[in-house]
Amino acid sequence: MKRQNNLVLSLLFFVIVFLMQVGEAQKRATDVNVGIVNDVGMAYSNMTLLCINMSLSDFYSSHTETQTRLVTTIVTPKMMLLSQQQREVKAILGPWTSMQAQFMIEMGQKSQVPIVTYSATSPSLASIRSQYFFRATYDDSSQVHAIKEIIKLFGWREVAPVYVDDTFGEGIMPRLTDALQEINVRIPYRTVISPNATDDEISVELFRMMTLPTRVFVVHTVELLASRFFAKATEIGLMKQGYVWILTNAITDVLNIMNETEIETMQGVLGVKTYISMDEEIPISDLNVYGLWAYDATTALALAMEEAGTSNLTFFKTDAMRNVSELQGLGLSQYGPKLLQTLSRVRFQGLAGDFQFINGELQPSVFEIVNVNGQGGRTIGFWMKEYGLLKNVDQKPDTETTFSSWQDRLRPIIWPGDTTSVPKGWEIPTNGKRLRIEVPVKNSFQQFVKATRDPITNSTIFSGFCIDYFEAVIKAMPYDVSYDFIPFQDGDYDTLVYQVYLGKYDAVVADTTISANRSMYVDFSLPYTPSGVGLVVPVKDSVRRSSTIFLMPLTLALWLISLLSFFIIGLVVWVVEHRVNPDFGGPGQYQISTIFWFAFSIMVFAPRERVLSFWARLVVIIWYFLVLVLTSSYTASLASLLTSQQLHPTVTNINSLLAKGESVGYQRSSFILERLRDSGFSETSLVSYGSPENCDALLSKGPAEGGISAAFMEVPYVRTFLGQYCNKYKLVQTPFKVDGLGFVFPIGSPLVADISRAILKVEESNKANELENAWFKPIDESCPDPLTNPDPNPSVSFRQLGFDSFWVLFLAAAIVCAIALGISVCQFLKENPDQRNMRVLWEKFKTPDQKSYIKEVTKCQCSSGQGMPKNDQEGANPEHHDNQS
């Protein structure tokens, strides 16, 4: 009451002064009637009326030679129509509320009387599209981008608006919704409060908000309702740690006139406030931005009327207008069109900043961001149209400036609950419902999800890789999440996912593939398994194990060259040795058999005949080495053929299946069917299978017996399938790309981000490997992991050994043989220089040289230190062999 009395006294003082000035200047200036629509007696009404009169006093005291002078008439909204008819006002200042302004705009449009409001901020007023309506204030929707930037800066994913159920409250919602959609922020629900709501009705809404997970709220109400709302919120417990409240300027602009008790209930909230840059303080207590706008609006109207002049200050009214309703019979102001033009051109530096009407209203470029602490709002930053959120209003960052955290853009914030920790924006309420998680009962690959019935409780118990992985993820979450697994009995996986979209369940935990079609109506977490669709085909042994398999290691050319080389080596050794070595002597048939015997005995390194001469020994050494390499290679190649399976896939890629029109299999109740249809497979060639055993049976039959040539399955299932049948089938291709398996949530669910981060934590730990080893351990322990080793039976193409692999060794042997033959022949010809008869030479060549033989034997005896054995002495006489034969 004291505050209101002070305002009234101040108002009377300025009215008296103003009337005295008017009396002095009324002889020189023309009076122009202006109506002021105000709720007389209210605190804000007295304050704005005081500012209006101050503006007129200041204007006419500084403009003493004006030709016009505003004469104000104060009326209530209900009496405005009667006052317009009686006094024919040329302009109207006001009204205060947006609901009152709707009627006033229509009246001003019909009578061509400009309406200048300094407090009606609802964006819906612009939809009336009246050129005679001027808003000397900011449209409420102008602050939604500042609110959007705050929400974006802290990464909150859900926001619940709280607003009053009238034109003022509803007006901001379309623009706020659009702004939040731009940054993919979801509005899960809205809290709408009646202007006349009781405390009990407010409490009911607050209790409902407490039971829902969203913890970020944008509040847009008038000051009186906001005070009651936050008083109840504090009482119920919604002003503790974890909650975020963002106020619009409808509340923050009047924080200075709220009492301490009201401010105490708002501790920790953030707010967007109209930025006012004032060089000097105005000596009026309880002044707020609406008083400044009232002051500037009055100045603008005085300037516009002075420019419009004093001509045509009449109203035009026909006889037809006199017999219609009051609204239709207002008449047309002849002064209005000209005043409309001059108002549109007015521009000056007012108390609230630069004053200029753009499209009939003021355009803000800066908002102040405040944090309610202590006795009022503490400035923590500013929002600027060009730069977004910044700590200082004079800060002009360049394009290279980077902001790594919210502390770079805003000053320290104290949140509700007197904490500096940034709230995460949502939580599972302890007094709220538990998450209802849908799990399929029927699953052919039970390593992923398996449902069993508890005989005691008759409840369904779920196990499997997906279940264990989800529980590991929940443990990695930064907060507790309560949930229940609900069995899903009927329908395929698309139906399963669609239940979340319908709101029947909160999530799906199963082997659910992430696909573009499903992501249109649900959100997925990050994938927790490898991605892709694999092509699995049978394998067959490409080696024919016949009775002649021992010939396969070597090519025909190498076989022939090797056999020929054996005889050549035996012949060369015989040529060099037979004249000096009795082991190679004897009758002709005996010598021929010796050649063959020696040649083949070298193969096993066990010849009976001794080699005496140097060149023969060198030939044998080279041949030994060649035979060693050749036999070793032959043995290795033959062993590989006899013992190793050369498994090759029957199909190499999807194109060969399409070209041949082969029948293929796909997992029942999966999206693969549509992908196969799109790829060109006909309906008759597509066969569904359920379990791994069913797939094995179809592949084993083959297309000739009603089976399939290949099977398509998602990569996670390939590991399970090949873990059982790695010796029969093979993964040859991943023709389709998909994102793997993920957990399903409603679109916009804040759980998605936290679950995805928890999945990353599990993947980076040993827990993921432990779960995979536990659930995907192959039944046949000899089967490796098909994902880490996609080809458990590598098909090494067999290559026969050819002459090209050994030609260097054969060339070396040939050179040594040629040298040995050359030296032996030259030596023989040297010993028989006079002999020209070839028959005689040949007979002499076949006959052992006794002297050379005795000489070679003597050298051996000397080197060995032993006497000549008896058999050697006998062997020295060629007649001994003849007698034996």
Side-chain angles (χ1 to χ4, degrees), residues 768-787:
N769 291 331
E770 292 175 3
L771 293 176
E772 290 175 359
N773 294 334
W775 288 103
F776 300 131
K777 185 177 181 181
I779 295 177
D780 184 351
E781 295 184 357
S782 64
C783 294
D785 189 340
L787 301 184

Side-chain angles (χ1 to χ4, degrees), residues 82 115 150 176 310 362 378 391 509 570-571 692:
L82 179 60
I115 309 295
I150 295 174
L176 179 62
T310 59
L362 302 184
R378 175 176 56 89
K391 288 183 179 180
V509 172
L571 181 61

Side-chain angles (χ1 to χ4, degrees), residues 532-660:
V533 175
L535 174 59
V536 177
V537 301
V539 293
K540 64 179 181 180
D541 193 351
S542 61
V543 178
R544 300 176 183 175
R545 289 173 172 77
S546 63
S547 58
T548 58
I549 191 172
F550 66 91
L551 298 175
M552 290 185 64
L554 306 182
T555 62
L556 179 61
L558 184 57
W559 276 116
L560 296 176
I561 292 173
S562 299
L563 292 175
L564 181 61
S565 298
F566 277 114
F567 294 122
I568 292 174
I569 293 297
L571 181 61
V572 170
V573 172
W574 174 80
V575 169
V576 175
E577 287 287 308
H578 82 284
R579 299 187 71 250
V580 298
N581 191 340
D583 287 346
F584 293 88
Q589 293 180 352
Y590 182 81
Q591 293 186 41
I592 293 174
S593 65
T594 300
I595 291 173
F596 280 96
W597 169 258
F598 183 81
F600 282 98
S601 62
I602 291 177
M603 186 184 301
V604 292
F605 311 105
R608 180 176 62 86
E609 294 76 13
R610 293 179 301 167
V611 179
L612 301 179
S613 65
F614 168 78
W615 288 105
R617 289 178 177 180
L618 183 59
V619 168
V620 171
I621 289 173
I622 296 297
W623 185 247
Y624 271 165
F625 183 73
L626 190 152
V627 170
L628 175 63
V629 174
L630 188 62
T631 54
S632 299
S633 301
Y634 172 84
T635 303
S637 182
L638 181 62
S640 176
L641 283 172
L642 293 174
T643 59
S644 299
Q645 286 184 316
Q646 304 298 325
L647 300 179
H648 289 266
T650 56
V651 178
T652 56
N653 55 59
I654 188 174
N655 294 328
S656 61
L657 291 170
L658 287 169
K660 297 177 182 178

Side-chain angles (χ1 to χ4, degrees), residues 156-436:
W156 296 315
R157 308 308 305 163
E158 283 192 355
V159 174
V162 180
Y163 59 93
V164 62
D165 189 14
D166 59 15
T167 303
F168 164 75
E170 295 171 351
I172 196 176
M173 287 309 301
R175 297 284 184 86
L176 179 62
T177 302
D178 292 342
L180 295 180
Q181 285 179 348
E182 291 175 4
I183 57 174
N184 296 320
V185 172
R186 178 171 172 259
I187 298 179
Y189 66 93
R190 305 179 184 190
T191 298
V192 184
I193 301 176
S194 170
N196 302 315
T198 64
D199 288 350
D200 290 340
E201 291 172 339
I202 294 175
S203 298
V204 170
E205 292 296 331
L206 289 170
F207 277 118
R208 183 177 71 92
M209 294 164 62
M210 178 182 285
T211 60
L212 297 174
T214 304
R215 291 293 180 263
V216 181
F217 307 99
V218 175
V219 182
H220 181 62
T221 69
V222 295
E223 175 259 337
L224 292 176
L225 182 59
S227 299
R228 296 171 53 216
F229 179 86
F230 280 102
K232 280 297 177 183
T234 303
E235 177 184 329
I236 292 173
L238 273 74
M239 296 300 296
K240 61 184 181 182
Q241 183 174 352
Y243 286 86
V244 178
W245 299 90
I246 302 175
L247 310 180
T248 63
N249 61 358
I251 304 172
T252 55
D253 285 344
V254 295
L255 285 175
N256 63 320
I257 66 173
M258 290 185 178
N259 58 45
E260 294 182 4
T261 303
E262 293 171 334
I263 294 294
E264 185 65 28
T265 62
M266 298 183 184
Q267 295 295 303
V269 305
L270 301 181
V272 177
K273 183 179 180 182
T274 304
Y275 173 68
I276 302 298
S277 177
M278 293 188 299
D279 296 332
E280 298 181 1
E281 293 292 332
I282 300 177
I284 299 179
S285 61
D286 301 327
L287 179 67
N288 57 41
V289 69
Y290 298 107
L292 300 179
W293 277 328
Y295 184 100
D296 290 344
T298 305
T299 302
L301 191 58
L303 287 170
M305 285 186 170
E306 184 64 23
E307 183 181 352
T310 59
S311 60
N312 293 327
L313 291 175
T314 60
F315 271 74
F316 174 75
K317 185 177 295 188
T318 65
D319 293 337
M321 293 181 179
R322 303 179 190 277
N323 301 319
V324 294
S325 64
E326 292 181 347
L327 183 60
Q328 293 174 331
L330 289 175
L332 299 177
S333 172
Q334 305 300 301
Y335 190 66
K338 191 171 184 180
L339 182 58
L340 174 68
Q341 296 177 3
T342 57
L343 262 176
S344 301
R345 294 194 297 265
V346 167
R347 182 171 185 178
F348 62 94
Q349 188 64 33
L351 293 182
D354 187 29
F355 191 99
Q356 181 185 14
F357 288 119
I358 299 176
N359 296 326
E361 60 186 22
L362 302 184
Q363 301 293 329
S365 60
V366 181
F367 279 102
E368 186 178 353
I369 310 301
V370 297
N371 180 208
V372 179
N373 297 128
Q375 300 302 315
R378 175 176 56 89
T379 301
I380 59 172
F382 299 87
W383 175 87
M384 285 180 276
K385 189 174 182 180
E386 299 85 358
Y387 307 110
L389 294 173
L390 294 172
K391 288 183 179 180
N392 301 306
V393 72
D394 56 352
Q395 188 176 352
K396 308 295 182 189
D398 53 33
T399 56
E400 297 180 357
T401 303
T402 57
F403 300 94
S404 58
S405 65
W406 71 267
Q407 289 94 339
D408 296 328
R409 290 189 175 272
L410 296 176
R411 297 167 190 167
I413 300 173
I414 299 177
W415 302 93
D418 197 22
T419 179
T420 57
S421 299
V422 178
K424 61 178 179 290
W426 86 283
E427 64 182 30
I428 300 297
T430 55
N431 56 345
K433 66 176 184 178
R434 296 165 62 90
L435 290 180
R436 289 171 51 84

Side-chain angles (χ1 to χ4, degrees), residues 795-839:
S795 301
V796 180
S797 57
F798 174 72
R799 179 177 176 270
Q800 287 184 305
L801 300 175
F803 178 72
D804 58 332
S805 301
F806 306 98
W807 68 271
V808 174
L809 295 176
F810 279 102
L811 178 61
I815 292 172
V816 173
C817 288
I819 293 173
L821 281 175
I823 292 176
S824 180
V825 172
C826 290
Q827 186 177 356
F828 172 74
L829 294 176
K830 185 178 179 181
E831 293 175 355
N832 301 278
D834 300 328
Q835 185 59 253
R836 297 289 185 268
N837 190 320
M838 296 301 297
R839 178 182 292 274

